[in-house]
Amino acid sequence: MQLNIINLFLKSIIQFSDPAFRRVLVKALILSVLVFICLTGIVWFTLSETSVFSFWFFEVIADTLGGITVIFMVWLLFPTVASFFVTLYLEDIVVAVENRHYPNDPPAQPLELSKSMLITLRFTVVTIALNLLALPFYLFTIWFPPIAIGVFYCLNGYLFGREYFEIVAPRRFNSSDIASVRKVNRWKLFSAGLVITFLFTIPFVNLVVPVIGVAALTHVFKSIQRSEMAVIE
């Protein structure tokens, strides 16, 4: 299964020459960067204008630690925010994949932008909340990084696999069937989520991962859809 998942990601990476992929990437990155510049600026301004300690040395330490925390949180939450903006152009990516690799499939029911944004907004809130809750655990286990890394990958692997599937599947499956199909294929989706999480940890590569992730989960969904049809037949 893992080898098949990797092959599906490679197919998505190869298709990055598609103009539709590049357009979505540029738009999503611009929006994501603007959001993080604004958030970082607000936090830095707040830290610089707020005095926690009366002694200047302690204040410098507090501001420095606060700045490091901001940088860490930007790195941690960038995948979630970028994925949210990619959802705005989800249809372009999925259609490009289907036209190139599955031209004989019947037309899909386009997913309403409001519905896809609702799914992604819910995912965004849950992901941010869970990672914030796990942050103290990450800090407390810094003395033994494998534990923190394992929790980070398991948590985000599950979330990314589920979220990307749920924003692609409504184009082909009824809402009532999506949950049951997801549960049956949970390990395949988890494996895909792990790959997405790993790619998000690679500097610069993480900038293109939301587009690759949607494309790869389109391939994963197609393999699941064919399995479901084979069972029915």
Side-chain angles (χ1 to χ4, degrees), residues 14 30 35 98 121 143 158 163 166 176 179-181 221 225:
I14 291 172
I30 289 175
V35 167
E98 291 183 339
L121 182 59
W143 55 272
Y158 167 76
E163 187 258 349
E166 290 190 354
S176 58
S180 58
V181 172
F221 171 78
Q225 185 183 31

Side-chain angles (χ1 to χ4, degrees), residues 40-220:
T40 304
I42 291 172
V43 174
W44 274 110
F45 177 78
T46 302
L47 288 174
S48 63
E49 296 297 320
T50 303
S51 296
V52 180
F53 301 99
S54 56
F55 185 47
W56 68 269
F57 181 72
F58 291 150
E59 185 63 29
V60 169
I61 294 177
D63 289 346
T64 302
L65 292 176
I68 294 173
T69 302
V70 170
I71 294 173
F72 177 75
M73 292 308 299
V74 167
W75 172 82
L76 186 66
L77 299 178
F78 181 84
T80 304
V81 176
S83 296
F84 174 78
F85 287 122
V86 164
T87 304
L88 299 176
Y89 314 101
L90 168 70
E91 196 72 17
D92 295 342
I93 302 173
V94 179
V95 169
V97 172
E98 291 183 339
N99 288 342
R100 179 165 179 173
H101 297 281
Y102 312 97
N104 298 323
D105 282 10
Q109 176 66 37
L111 182 62
E112 295 180 3
L113 180 59
S114 59
K115 185 174 182 179
S116 64
M117 288 188 66
L118 181 61
I119 295 172
T120 309
L121 182 59
R122 181 189 65 189
F123 162 79
T124 301
V125 172
V126 171
T127 301
I128 291 176
L130 291 179
N131 276 286
L132 287 176
L133 289 174
L135 185 59
F137 182 84
Y138 295 148
L139 296 177
F140 285 134
T141 58
I142 195 170
W143 55 272
F144 191 61
I147 296 179
I149 293 172
V151 172
F152 175 79
Y153 271 89
C154 289
L155 174 61
N156 289 281
Y158 167 76
L159 291 171
F160 280 122
R162 174 170 179 166
E163 187 258 349
Y164 277 63
F165 176 76
E166 290 190 354
I167 62 176
V168 172
R171 302 176 73 256
R172 299 283 181 177
F173 284 164
N174 295 325
S175 300
S176 58
D177 298 329
I178 292 176
S180 58
V181 172
R182 175 175 52 79
K183 290 178 181 178
V184 171
N185 297 276
R186 58 186 178 277
W187 292 113
K188 179 181 289 187
L189 297 177
F190 179 65
S191 297
L194 287 178
V195 176
I196 293 174
T197 304
F198 171 72
L199 293 176
F200 265 127
T201 62
I202 304 176
F204 302 109
V205 173
N206 59 1
L207 300 178
V208 302
V209 174
V211 176
I212 295 174
V214 171
L217 261 293
T218 301
H219 289 298
V220 172

